[in-house]
Amino acid sequence: SSSILGKLLAARMTLHIPILYLRNTDTSNRTLYLCHHLMVVLVYGAGTLRARAHFWGSVAALCEVTNVFLTIEEFFVLVQRDEKKPSNFRNVNRASFAVSYVVMRLALFPLTLLCFAYDLCTMPAHFKDQLGALELAVYPVALVAVFGLSIVWAKAIFAEMRDILRNVLATTPDNHKSTTTTTK
């Protein structure tokens, strides 16, 4: 159920906080990651305790699909694979991360916010009266904040994808040159 998802997500983010300090991450990014993790723990933890608006929390949690690919990439970084040319598996993983990032973060968050706002405007008053400040203010603010972070982080993700594409294209045989040699 969605309450289990909320508990799991809050627990995962709590357990991931120490990893932020073990990784070789600059201080400004570490601060952003820490704020993101604390916000998720607060929103999902409180949402689980209050048992309200779980559907919208579950929809927003779909963004975590990107973490499958991110975790695989972190594994490559942690084992310090000194690759001059990343493997095809790693390139496919990075490309999958970028595509899932666009769909599950850059598209999903604003769509979720719009649908949530529509739901609030059209729901019967007796349902709306059960919602508190957490659901009416903190949820939307958290969603906007995480969407903002996603936009900031997208720049680095797309720069990396550009580099991967350059590497892949640089190793592709040039189809325009003739491969036959002429003999005299």
Side-chain angles (χ1 to χ4, degrees):
S1 113
S2 57
S3 66
I4 293 170
L5 175 66
K7 291 172 188 171
L8 289 173
L9 194 53
R12 181 203 173 271
M13 289 295 186
T14 301
L15 294 172
H16 198 252
I17 289 173
I19 294 171
L20 296 174
Y21 290 92
L22 297 174
R23 289 184 2 200
N24 188 15
T25 307
D26 67 65
T27 307
S28 63
N29 276 335
R30 187 178 298 134
T31 303
L32 285 176
Y33 295 143
L34 182 61
C35 289
H36 167 260
H37 282 58
L38 292 175
M39 183 174 21
V40 169
V41 170
L42 168 75
V43 170
Y44 281 94
T48 299
L49 292 174
R50 288 193 35 83
R52 303 272 191 277
H54 279 199
F55 172 78
W56 294 110
S58 297
V59 171
L62 288 173
C63 73
E64 297 300 319
V65 165
T66 60
N67 285 342
V68 171
F69 307 108
L70 188 58
T71 301
I72 293 169
E73 180 62 23
E74 284 181 341
F75 173 75
F76 277 104
V77 172
L78 285 174
V79 297
Q80 300 284 328
R81 291 195 57 182
D82 189 20
E83 299 175 317
K84 290 187 168 85
K85 180 182 176 263
S87 67
N88 288 337
F89 175 78
R90 191 170 183 188
N91 283 335
V92 167
N93 182 66
R94 287 174 169 174
S96 299
F97 173 67
V99 169
S100 68
Y101 195 89
V102 169
V103 173
M104 295 301 197
R105 291 184 183 263
L106 300 180
L108 178 71
F109 286 145
L111 181 62
T112 301
L113 197 57
L114 287 171
C115 291
F116 180 61
Y118 176 79
D119 195 35
L120 286 175
C121 292
T122 59
M123 74 172 44
H126 64 279
F127 286 129
K128 193 183 285 186
D129 292 342
Q130 295 178 20
L131 301 177
L134 180 73
E135 296 86 16
L136 297 173
V138 177
Y139 279 8
V141 168
L143 199 55
V144 168
V146 173
F147 177 58
L149 288 173
S150 296
I151 290 171
V152 169
W153 292 331
K155 181 180 176 184
I157 292 165
F158 292 136
E160 183 173 331
M161 281 311 303
R162 183 191 64 230
D163 294 343
I164 290 169
L165 286 173
R166 282 185 186 155
N167 289 337
V168 168
L169 293 174
T171 60
T172 304
D174 189 355
N175 293 329
H176 299 291
K177 293 182 182 177
S178 174
T179 57
T180 61
T181 57
T182 57
T183 57
K184 292 187 181 182

